Amino acid sequence: MGRNIPTMMDLLPYAALLTGTFLFAGLVKGVIGLGLPTVAMGLLGLAMLPVEAAALLLVPSLVTNLWQLLAGPRFGDLLRRLWPMMLGVVAGTVTGSGVIAGTATGAATAFLGAALAFYGLVGIAKFRLRVPPAAEPWAGPLVGTVTGLVTGATGVFVIPAVPYLGSLGLERDDLVQALGLSFTVSTLALAGGLALHGALPLAASAASLLAVLPALAGMAFGNWLRARVRPETFRLCFFVGLLVLGGELIWRGLAP
């Protein structure tokens, strides 16, 4: 099913996989503003266990999300509004991380596939939700906890956080910064959950550092590409690809 962190004998193909995956994942994030961990988990999940893929995405995900978070002007206001959701993210991720770090590798792969496929369907359907301000005190913590449980089980932290944040009526720049906040907290919580279960090996941490450069290069190219390609066309191809990739991972995870 999976593979361990490689020896010198297979370092070259491993490095090519890592570079290609994070170049493409960074490109997706540069074009549409999200999707780096989703793409990275999906592609790496084809070649290794989900827990290994999750360990590899931590540093590039954290760096790109901090960039996205700190580039906006309203960090303090967003934190005051969204901190109950962020607490839910932390609690849910630490609680759910035993799934991806455990021995039920087939279940973890199937969970990852289901999360990717569901995200693809939501994107294709252009699902829109509107949450009234009066519901935020209970909806925020609930969404955060569910997002954390999904993150802990799959390493993907977009569902249901992204649709929820999009439903709050935030201005474009505030929404981008709010997504950066949610993704940053999710990344740190996932790192804590993996460490808690002894699933954060030193070799994976070093390889994760090496993935930062291709992720940033892909993100820069994606920013350039965004001005030259219709974002809606790219988004449709992206979500269809996630649906197909998710279906393949579900099949592989459930196969005897």
Side-chain angles (χ1 to χ4, degrees), residues 194-211:
L194 293 177
L196 182 66
H197 292 280
L200 197 59
L202 182 61
S205 301
S208 186
L209 284 171
L210 296 177

Side-chain angles (χ1 to χ4, degrees), residues 74-83 170 174 177-178 181:
R74 299 189 50 174
F75 172 71
D77 292 341
L78 289 171
L79 185 61
R80 282 189 290 272
R81 182 175 181 178
L82 298 175
W83 69 263
L170 298 170
D174 291 345
Q177 191 172 24
L181 173 62

Side-chain angles (χ1 to χ4, degrees), residues 72 78 87 104 116 126 136 154 169 175 182 205-206 220 256:
L78 289 171
L87 284 182
L116 295 180
K126 296 184 178 180
E136 288 185 42
T154 68
L175 176 59
S182 178
S205 301

